[in-house]
Amino acid sequence: MMNFSVISVFGSLFMVLCGLWSFISYHKHLLNSLLSLEFMMLGVFWLLSSQMTGVGSEIYFSLFFLTLAACEGALGLSLLVHVVRSHGSDRFMSLNLLEC
């Protein structure tokens, strides 16, 4: 019979790998890329929190990681809003890197 921590580790690694696969496969829109990055961050947070609860009372590091993930999500959302306002869509093919 498998232990809950082993199932938690495999589940979080599966989340990270699915997020990585979606980041590589569906990269036509900026929103898809940002959502897959957030999914990978949630998988890493789940892995980190399950490992930290097994070690001891160092749960503050996982809360710090969750704060950084939320800041990364807010920064990505503001970047998405800026790109949509300036270019009209979030498709990578419509972005021109030579424009200012």
Side-chain angles (χ1 to χ4, degrees):
M1 184 172 198
M2 294 185 85
N3 196 1
F4 178 72
S5 64
V6 174
I7 294 172
S8 176
V9 167
F10 283 135
S12 61
L13 288 177
F14 182 71
M15 283 178 65
V16 170
L17 289 177
C18 284
L20 184 65
W21 178 73
S22 68
F23 183 73
I24 292 170
S25 299
Y26 305 113
H27 60 274
K28 291 183 181 179
H29 293 279
L30 181 61
L31 183 61
N32 288 343
S33 300
L34 291 174
L35 284 175
S36 62
L37 286 175
E38 283 295 319
F39 192 66
M40 286 190 315
M41 292 295 284
L42 282 176
V44 170
F45 173 70
W46 187 21
L47 177 67
L48 184 69
S49 63
S50 67
Q51 293 301 314
M52 287 295 165
T53 55
V55 170
S57 63
E58 291 293 327
I59 198 72
Y60 295 112
F61 183 70
S62 64
L63 290 176
F64 179 70
F65 181 78
L66 187 63
T67 304
L68 290 179
C71 292
E72 181 255 337
L75 185 65
L77 185 63
S78 65
L79 179 67
L80 177 70
V81 168
H82 178 69
V83 165
V84 168
R85 284 187 180 176
S86 64
H87 294 284
S89 71
D90 66 335
R91 289 184 58 89
F92 282 124
M93 297 299 288
S94 66
L95 298 178
N96 188 2
L97 295 177
L98 297 177
E99 271 182 22
C100 289

